[in-house]
Amino acid sequence: MTATEPMKIAIAGVGKIARDQHIPSIAKSPAFDLAATVSRHASVEGVDHFETMETFLAARPDVSTVALCVPPQVRFEMARAALEAGRHVLLEKPPGATVAEVHTLAGLATERGLTLFATWHSRFAPAVAPAKAWLADKNIRRVEIIWKEDVRRWHPGQEWIWQAGGVGIFDPGINALSILTEIMPQPVHLTGAELEFPQNRDTPIAARLSFAGAGGVAVTADFDWRQTGPQSWDITVETDGGTLYLGAGGATMAIDGKEIRQGPEAEYDGIYARFAELLRAGSSEVDVSPLIHVADAFMLGKRIVTDPFIE
Ligand code: NAP
C-alpha cells in the first residue's frame, strides 16, 4: 500500500453497522477502497457483490482485506476462510462467539503473517484516551458503570442477539467493558454476577456485575435493555485525586463535575485509521479482555428467569 494507492477492502455482512458506520468511514479513508461486499440479501450500489465468502475469495484475489460485520455466531468460519486465503481481517465487536475461537484466529494470522484487528469501537470515543491518561497516576477506589438502553429502539428485528452466542445485553454491555479494560491502570476480575434471562430467549436482557482489583478497587456494572426514555451509557470513577465521569458512551468527560470538552465523535474513522497503521506495520491487535469478562459472567453468573421478551 502506498500513500496514493488505497487498499481494496470487502465488507461481509451488509447490515446496520456496515451501513451506519463502516461504509461511510471507508468512503472517507484515503487508505481503503470498498471493492466488494459479501452478504446473502444486501448489497451496495456500484460495488461488486457476492453472496458467500467462498465465492468472493475465489473471484477477487486482488481484494487483500476483509471487514467482518456479521453477527458473532457466524464470524469465525468467515474469518478463518479469509485468513486461510491470505487476506487481512478486521473483526467487529465482540470478536467471536467464544474466547478460544479468537485465539485460533490470532494464531492463524500470526502464522500467515497477516493482520488481524479485533476492534472495540467504544475505545475510539473521544473521551476515552483523555480519561485513560488522567487515571494513569491515580489510585482508583470505585467504578460504577450504568449501561441501560431500549433494545426495541437499537436492535429492531435482530433475532441473532437473542440466540445463543448473540450475548444479549452484553452486546452493548461489552462496549462499557471495552472502555473499562482500556482506562483502568490495573486489571480487575469478575467476582459476582446476576443475569436475567427472558423465559423465551437464550440470552440475557439484564446483568449486574461486580469486579475486584488491586488496592481494594470495587467495580459494579448495571446493564439493562429495558430502559425506555433517556438512555444511559455512563461510567463514574472515584479516585484519590477526584471523580471522573464519562458520559454518552465515552463521548463526554467531566472531572469533579467540571466538563472537559472533547472533539467530535468519529469512532469508526479512528478504527479505519488504526487498521491502516496496523497494515502498514504488518502487525495485529487482538485484545480479548472485554470478552473474557463476558465469558466469566456466563460462568459465574446466577441465572434469573424473567418475563418473556416480545418485540
Ligand atoms: P445486523 O443489522 O443484523 O447486520 C448483520 C448482517 O450480517 C445481516 O444484515 C446479514 O446480512 C449478515 N448475516 C450473515 N449471517 C447472518 C446470520 N446468521 N444472522 C443474521 N445476519 C447474518 O447487525 P449489526 O447491528 O450490523 O451488527 C453486526 C455486528 O456489529 C455485531 O457483532 C454487533 O455487535 C456489531 N455492532 C453493531 C452496532 C449497531 O449499532 N448496530 C454497533 C457497533 C457494533 P445478509 O442477510 O445480507 O447476509
Side-chain angles (χ1 to χ4, degrees):
M1 181 173 53
T2 68
T4 52
E5 196 186 330
M7 200 172 235
K8 288 182 191 162
I9 189 167
I11 286 186
V14 179
K16 185 172 188 315
I17 199 62
R19 290 195 187 283
D20 289 356
Q21 300 289 349
H22 290 260
I23 294 167
S25 286
I26 289 170
K28 273 188 265 170
S29 169
F32 297 99
D33 173 28
L34 183 63
T37 56
V38 182
S39 218
R40 298 162 309 172
H41 306 101
S43 58
V44 174
E45 209 186 323
V47 176
D48 201 10
H49 174 249
F50 300 87
E51 282 182 18
T52 68
M53 183 58 74
E54 287 64 34
T55 50
F56 155 72
L57 291 170
R60 294 296 307 268
D62 59 310
V63 181
S64 56
T65 305
V66 181
L68 292 180
C69 304
V70 291
Q73 296 102 319
V74 295
R75 204 173 293 142
F76 174 75
E77 291 302 339
M78 288 190 181
R80 180 169 64 180
L83 290 166
E84 282 179 346
R87 317 303 163 91
H88 306 288
V89 170
L90 178 152
L91 301 172
E92 249 300 352
K93 50 67 46 170
T98 70
V99 180
E101 71 184 41
V102 186
H103 284 308
T104 298
L105 295 177
L108 193 54
T110 305
E111 202 180 288
R112 305 280 167 122
L114 296 164
T115 293
L116 179 68
F117 183 20
T119 63
W120 298 108
H121 66 86
S122 292
R123 289 184 176 175
F124 291 87
V128 171
K132 179 178 182 167
W134 189 81
L135 289 171
D137 61 355
K138 305 287 185 301
N139 290 315
I140 296 171
R141 295 183 183 131
R142 210 171 75 83
V143 181
E144 181 187 59
I145 302 172
I146 308 281
W147 223 255
K148 296 185 176 183
E149 59 176 52
D150 182 354
V151 65
R152 291 183 174 87
R153 179 164 158 197
W154 301 103
H155 295 276
Q158 290 185 343
E159 273 303 307
W160 60 264
I161 56 171
W162 295 113
Q163 293 161 357
V167 298
I169 183 60
F170 291 104
D171 181 77
I174 203 167
N175 297 333
L177 299 176
S178 75
I179 295 177
L180 178 76
T181 47
E182 177 69 9
I183 63 176
M184 292 292 278
Q186 302 287 336
V188 294
H189 62 272
L190 193 84
T191 53
E194 285 182 347
L195 311 180
E196 286 189 60
F197 288 77
Q199 59 179 255
N200 59 341
R201 303 287 175 165
D202 296 339
T203 60
I205 196 164
R208 290 172 291 281
L209 313 177
S210 44
F211 302 82
V217 61
V219 179
T220 58
D222 194 351
F223 300 156
D224 206 315
W225 245 348
R226 297 165 295 196
Q227 174 96 340
T228 52
Q231 308 285 285
S232 314
W233 298 287
D234 303 323
I235 301 178
T236 306
V237 188
E238 285 175 20
T239 79
D240 59 351
T243 298
L244 173 114
Y245 167 77
L246 282 177
T252 67
M253 170 169 156
I255 290 167
D256 293 331
K258 186 167 179 285
E259 186 169 351
I260 301 179
R261 287 186 70 83
Q262 304 299 327
E265 188 283 313
E267 292 180 5
Y268 282 79
D269 293 354
I271 282 179
Y272 279 94
R274 178 74 185 133
F275 193 30
E277 268 174 24
L278 291 170
L279 289 163
R280 265 187 240 109
S283 50
S284 288
E285 189 171 290
V286 183
D287 175 13
V288 291
S289 58
L291 192 62
I292 287 173
H293 289 319
V294 172
D296 284 358
F298 281 99
M299 281 173 80
L300 196 59
K302 183 178 169 190
R303 185 189 171 101
I304 298 164
V305 177
T306 189
D307 297 342
F309 177 80
I310 315 287
E311 185 155 0

